[in-house]
Amino acid sequence: MGSMKRERRLHLLALAFLAGLFIGVNASFLSSAPEPAHQYLDYFHRVYQIIVTEYVDETSPKEMFFGAIKGMIDSLDDPYSRFLDERALGELREMTTGKFQGVGIEITVQDGRVVVVAPIEDSPAIRAGIAPGDVITRIDDKAIKGKSVEEIASMIRGLPKSTVRLQISREGFAEPIEFTLERAPVKIASVEYGIIEKGSIGYLRIKNFGSDTGRDAAKAMKYFRKQGVKKAIIDVRNNPGGLLTGAVEVSELVLDRGRTIVSTRGREGGGIVEEYKSRSEPVYRGALAVLVNNGTASAAEILAGAVRDNERGVLMGEKTFGKGSVQKSFNLEDDIGVSITVARYYTPSGELIHKKGITPERVITAEKFSEDDMKGLKTIREKNLMDAFVAKDTAYDGASKKAFRAFLAERGVRLSDRTADFVLKDWINRAKKKPLYDLEFDTQLNEAVRHLGGI
């Protein structure tokens, strides 16, 4: 009995220390908080005391406090505000520097569904055929309903070369689609550029907005100028966003000095309003088209809105995702923090696009596989038919296309000729550096080239 009393006194001393630390850190808040907050904090301390002193099993203060923080953030019902434990904060840093491990998808939760915002270029997800708007319903045969974005991301991530199965629900398909992906290191080179020979059009693809995106995009624009390019396409399709500063820096490359890029507004009646304007003369002044789709989100939508509202160029493609909120990270320690939505952003015309997106002036629907083609593609994956047909020296030409169609027919696989050609070309290019653009299959890019007078 005496031992139990001593043990309980030790628990109470630990509680007093932790509670005192908690109260000390928040003294200024407590002195100004409304009365109900005092009451709820008292509930919190009392529950913690009951658990520490009465719960049947050993407890972990760290896990309880982390769980309490997660609970507070979950109560905001905002998929973009989250608690960043050691792993989550590390993943966030990996994303902004362009290096991380996984399958390469940006996800969010919408109306209780786990939605793919965009697959990342040259990732296992995009090679498998996962598309923006896909809804993940199961992971490794486990239901995910009610789980947070962090929990789902944790289920998808894993050791390199290990596999994960994702069950996908896709609009227009009666049956779910299953993908088996091999996890791999994913490196995001946020900017790629070159010149489309048909029409001498500069082509700048921005895959995400990281810390180096503005600098790298400036190199591209200076290259276009040096080459005498007077027409350019900025492609932000499947760009899930990133740093607001990156979007502002890229916008400054094409907008006149003093033009509004974006404004952010905090809490109604008490939040900070910030307006971002172009601070320098543009690097590029020529004709401009911006390609967007439903995987264009967040910082990428800031660029799209700035170009549209300033009448700087034409938006082409499909309606964007509609993420118009700004997150700010707060470190609690070196490896622990929270990411909280602190503002909404508005386009230069004052439009809030959150949950609405931006509809481009010229809507061009991307080609999609038919349900019959998806069945054929599933058979190809399950039977590893591409490995059986494509060798290191296989070329993409008329002869190989004809032979591949015959190869599929002999095995009872039905694909349209265009889909068969696309799959063959894509598979052959996996062993090489992927071409910067593809005018054979990219109908949206073709339309942008035509709009600029290139074809």
Side-chain angles (χ1 to χ4, degrees):
M1 178 71 75
S3 175
M4 290 179 64
K5 285 182 178 178
R6 283 193 300 273
E7 185 177 319
R8 179 164 297 185
R9 279 196 295 271
L10 288 171
H11 281 306
L12 290 173
L13 283 170
L15 171 63
F17 171 77
L18 290 166
L21 178 63
F22 182 83
I23 292 170
V25 169
N26 294 279
S28 61
F29 165 74
L30 289 172
S31 64
S32 61
E35 188 60 33
H38 284 79
Q39 180 180 352
Y40 300 140
L41 285 169
D42 183 54
Y43 293 163
F44 178 88
H45 294 145
R46 287 165 62 188
V47 170
Y48 179 80
Q49 180 178 355
I50 291 167
I51 292 173
V52 169
T53 58
E54 303 294 342
Y55 184 63
V56 65
D57 292 325
E58 285 293 321
T59 57
S60 165
K62 175 182 175 180
E63 290 180 7
M64 282 193 285
F65 277 104
F66 280 16
I69 295 170
K70 290 176 183 176
M72 279 193 288
I73 294 175
D74 287 346
S75 73
L76 303 176
D77 195 25
D78 173 19
Y80 305 111
S81 293
R82 59 196 182 112
F83 174 58
L84 302 171
D85 60 15
E86 293 93 335
R87 184 163 73 172
L89 187 58
E91 289 171 357
L92 180 63
R93 287 168 176 163
E94 287 175 352
M95 284 293 290
T96 56
T97 56
K99 300 176 184 177
F100 65 98
Q101 303 271 350
V103 300
I105 51 175
E106 173 85 3
I107 59 173
T108 188
V109 176
Q110 288 183 338
D111 301 322
R113 305 180 307 157
V114 181
V115 180
V116 175
V117 176
I120 294 167
E121 190 73 17
D122 295 328
S123 68
I126 205 164
R127 288 194 290 269
I130 290 178
D134 282 347
V135 177
I136 302 174
T137 53
R138 300 182 74 85
I139 301 173
D140 287 333
D141 295 327
K142 297 175 183 175
I144 58 174
K145 187 175 180 180
K147 293 187 180 296
S148 67
V149 170
E150 292 80 11
E151 289 172 318
I152 294 160
S154 179
M155 293 172 71
I156 294 174
R157 287 174 178 261
L159 296 173
K161 295 191 177 300
S162 63
T163 59
V164 60
R165 289 195 314 281
L166 303 184
Q167 187 181 87
I168 297 291
S169 172
R170 180 173 293 174
E171 185 178 355
F173 291 83
E175 299 295 325
I177 308 165
E178 187 169 285
F179 296 89
T180 299
L181 308 176
E182 183 178 286
R183 300 178 177 102
V186 178
K187 173 70 174 78
I188 305 174
S190 69
V191 167
E192 290 185 320
Y193 61 92
I195 295 177
I196 298 174
E197 297 303 325
K198 293 183 178 180
S200 296
I201 296 171
Y203 177 74
L204 168 61
R205 181 175 182 82
I206 304 177
K207 300 176 186 178
N208 78 320
F209 287 90
S211 55
D212 297 330
T213 303
R215 181 193 64 192
D216 294 342
K219 289 180 184 177
M221 292 300 185
K222 290 173 183 176
Y223 172 75
F224 295 159
R225 190 174 62 187
K226 185 176 180 181
Q227 298 299 314
V229 167
K230 292 181 170 49
K231 296 172 284 189
I233 296 168
I234 299 178
D235 189 348
V236 286
R237 290 174 297 175
N238 299 334
N239 181 323
L243 300 178
L244 182 148
T245 51
V248 170
E249 289 169 1
V250 174
S251 298
E252 287 181 315
L253 300 174
V254 298
L255 295 180
D256 288 333
R257 184 196 297 270
R259 289 285 188 170
T260 299
I261 297 169
V262 67
S263 62
T264 63
R265 304 176 197 173
R267 181 183 302 173
E268 188 70 27
I272 298 172
V273 177
E274 290 190 72
E275 193 172 59
Y276 296 82
K277 292 180 178 289
S278 182
R279 298 162 298 178
S280 57
E281 295 302 324
V283 173
Y284 174 76
R285 293 182 177 273
L288 183 65
V290 178
L291 283 173
V292 298
N293 67 1
N294 60 337
T296 302
S298 189
E301 291 174 290
I302 289 175
L303 171 63
V307 169
R308 181 197 63 177
D309 287 0
N310 285 290
E311 299 182 350
R312 178 59 186 87
V314 61
L315 299 190
M316 306 180 72
E318 298 166 280
K319 187 172 78 170
T320 64
F321 183 80
K323 179 185 180 291
S325 60
V326 180
Q327 284 69 48
K328 182 177 179 181
S329 294
F330 300 85
N331 280 3
L332 305 179
E333 287 186 0
D334 288 343
D335 55 357
I336 300 169
V338 292
S339 178
I340 301 294
T341 297
V342 295
R344 306 280 186 209
Y345 76 73
Y346 295 75
T347 70
S349 65
E351 181 183 6
L352 174 64
I353 64 154
H354 195 61
K355 297 184 178 180
K356 185 178 73 171
I358 299 174
T359 300
E361 294 98 321
R362 295 192 58 180
V363 175
I364 306 159
T365 304
E367 285 190 79
K368 292 181 172 62
F369 297 133
S370 69
E371 192 158 359
D372 285 341
D373 279 346
M374 287 300 297
K375 290 176 182 177
L377 292 171
K378 181 179 180 182
T379 302
I380 289 172
R381 284 198 305 270
E382 289 174 346
K383 296 184 177 181
N384 296 318
L385 296 183
M386 297 311 299
D387 285 327
F389 183 83
V390 177
K392 286 184 178 180
D393 58 350
T394 302
Y396 179 74
D397 53 26
S400 64
K401 289 193 284 187
K402 184 177 179 180
F404 182 57
R405 294 172 191 172
F407 172 83
L408 294 177
E410 289 170 5
R411 286 153 182 80
V413 179
R414 295 176 56 186
L415 283 185
S416 66
D417 286 350
R418 184 166 175 80
T419 298
D421 292 349
F422 173 82
V423 170
L424 177 62
K425 186 176 188 179
D426 181 67
W427 197 267
I428 289 172
N429 284 334
R430 291 183 185 202
K432 310 171 185 176
K433 179 174 173 56
K434 192 172 182 179
L436 177 59
Y437 58 87
D438 186 351
L439 293 177
E440 180 179 5
F441 294 106
D442 193 339
T443 55
Q444 293 174 326
L445 179 58
N446 268 300
E447 284 299 317
V449 170
R450 288 192 189 95
H451 172 77
L452 294 174
I455 296 179

